Amino acid sequence: MTKSVEVSAKRLDDAIAEACRQLGVDRGDATIEILSQGGIFSKAKVRASIEVADAPKSTPEQPAKKFEKTYDKNDNKSNNHNVEKTAKKADKATEKNEKKSGKAEVKADKPKKFEKPTPKADVKIADKRSKEDRLVRSDLKPMEGDGGAREFLDGVFSRMGVTSDIDIKSDGDRMTIDLLAKDAALIGQRGETLSALRYLTSLVVNKGDTQFMYVDMDSQDYRARRKETLQRIAIKTADRAIRSGRKVRLEPMPSGDRRIIHSTLQDRQDVICRSEGREPRRAIAVLPKQL
């Protein structure tokens, strides 16, 4: 005759051990059948069985044995229920401890108030760095000649197929370059080519251990004419915003052009001038002050 029990537990080894305990045998003496491996949201379940001798036929003690068998079966169910109940309590206690430990870790990782730098400290650090930069720059050598600006521009113009005279003047830490050419190719749309040439020339001039030079470049008085145009645009845009009572947004433009618009309208008390969007689509917006 075969005697078997089914046991569920959180872990597979615990289920097998409990089944063997209920059968009263060692693990090697029982036949173990795994019904479920278990997982995060389910328990492991096994069936353990052993071979036992057949009971004698009709004897006066059979009713008592029948009662004992029924009692053992009920006792097994009770044991299974107790095991499951104990496992649930252990799981809840573990989850509770994990939550407490998690909160403790969060509190431990939270920086203290005195560790957060204050804006005042940041200002001091920035001032210190700028002072160090000034000390380093004061040790640089004075620039000799044009710093290679003329040679660089001559090479660029020859590749562009453009002929231009180059007038270079230096005054302290500022270099002014005037391109004497009638070809508008050196200016480009909204001065983009001229700005690119100025940037590249600045890299060439400030290469090495010489004193830093600010490079300013112009051609055909483009900078002055562009400034006058932007100033007129700024005034007209502000008047339009006042008349319509709504925000007026200009087309995207470089930071230098936006700076001229801001400078022109900074003394106006009836409008607000601000930059909106992200580069390279950043633009000026002008709106009445009451909005």
Side-chain angles (χ1 to χ4, degrees):
M1 183 177 69
T2 302
K3 182 180 179 181
S4 63
V5 294
E6 293 183 5
V7 177
S8 299
K10 187 69 176 179
R11 298 191 307 172
L12 182 62
D13 292 340
D14 295 341
I16 295 174
E18 178 61 22
C20 294
R21 188 192 66 79
Q22 293 181 16
L23 293 175
V25 296
D26 295 333
R27 181 168 179 171
D29 297 332
T31 301
I32 307 299
E33 181 181 358
I34 300 174
L35 303 179
S36 175
Q37 292 281 352
I40 298 176
F41 302 104
S42 61
K43 295 183 178 181
K45 187 175 182 180
V46 299
R47 179 187 292 122
S49 58
I50 57 173
E51 295 293 332
V52 298
D54 293 337
K57 294 183 179 180
S58 179
T59 60
E61 296 180 357
Q62 280 184 356
K65 289 184 180 180
K66 185 176 181 181
F67 173 76
E68 289 176 1
K69 185 177 180 180
T70 304
Y71 175 79
D72 291 340
K73 185 177 181 181
N74 292 334
D75 188 38
N76 290 338
K77 291 183 178 180
S78 176
N79 289 335
N80 292 339
H81 178 71
N82 290 335
V83 171
E84 293 178 0
K85 189 174 181 180
T86 303
K88 287 181 179 179
K89 287 183 179 180
D91 293 341
K92 289 182 179 180
T94 303
E95 291 177 0
K96 190 174 181 180
N97 292 333
E98 289 177 354
K99 288 181 179 179
K100 287 183 178 180
S101 62
K103 290 180 180 179
E105 290 176 0
V106 171
K107 289 182 179 179
D109 294 338
K110 188 176 180 181
K112 297 180 180 180
K113 290 184 178 180
F114 65 84
E115 293 177 354
K116 185 177 180 181
T118 60
K120 188 174 182 181
D122 292 340
V123 172
K124 288 183 178 180
I125 293 173
D127 291 341
K128 185 177 180 182
R129 289 177 180 175
S130 61
K131 185 177 180 180
E132 290 175 355
D133 291 341
R134 288 195 296 269
L135 291 174
V136 172
R137 288 185 179 180
S138 65
D139 296 336
L140 296 177
K141 300 176 182 178
M143 180 175 294
E144 298 179 358
D146 57 14
R150 188 183 300 275
E151 182 181 358
F152 169 73
L153 290 173
D154 283 337
V156 172
F157 294 160
S158 64
R159 289 172 174 79
M160 292 176 62
V162 176
T163 302
S164 174
D165 293 332
I166 304 172
D167 184 18
I168 301 178
K169 296 179 181 179
S170 298
D171 184 11
D173 60 351
R174 179 176 291 270
M175 179 181 292
T176 304
I177 302 176
D178 191 9
L179 304 180
L180 307 175
K182 296 181 180 180
D183 198 333
L186 296 181
I187 299 175
Q189 186 178 10
R190 295 187 180 85
E192 292 179 353
T193 304
L194 191 63
S195 297
L197 287 173
R198 188 203 68 80
Y199 173 73
L200 294 175
T201 305
S202 178
L203 294 179
V204 173
V205 169
N206 291 290
K207 184 179 180 181
D209 57 353
T210 56
Q211 182 181 359
F212 179 82
M213 294 288 288
Y214 176 81
V215 177
D216 190 13
M217 185 178 292
D218 199 0
S219 178
Q220 303 177 31
D221 293 329
Y222 171 78
R223 299 293 185 191
R225 292 185 287 108
R226 179 61 175 170
K227 183 177 181 180
E228 293 177 358
T229 301
L230 290 172
Q231 288 174 341
R232 289 196 299 269
I233 291 174
I235 295 172
K236 289 181 179 180
T237 303
D239 294 341
R240 180 183 171 189
I242 293 297
R243 288 195 305 269
S244 63
R246 301 190 314 180
K247 178 177 72 172
V248 179
R249 195 171 190 269
L250 298 175
E251 63 181 3
M253 59 181 64
S255 59
D257 292 353
R258 296 198 306 270
R259 194 178 302 113
I260 295 174
I261 300 290
H262 284 295
S263 177
T264 304
L265 299 179
Q266 65 181 355
D267 295 331
R268 291 280 297 256
Q269 302 296 326
D270 53 349
V271 294
I272 297 174
C273 181
R274 66 190 183 196
S275 295
E276 296 180 346
R278 295 182 178 180
E279 297 291 356
R281 302 295 299 172
R282 194 162 175 79
I284 291 287
V286 182
L287 61 158
K289 203 164 188 177
Q290 63 269 18
L291 288 183

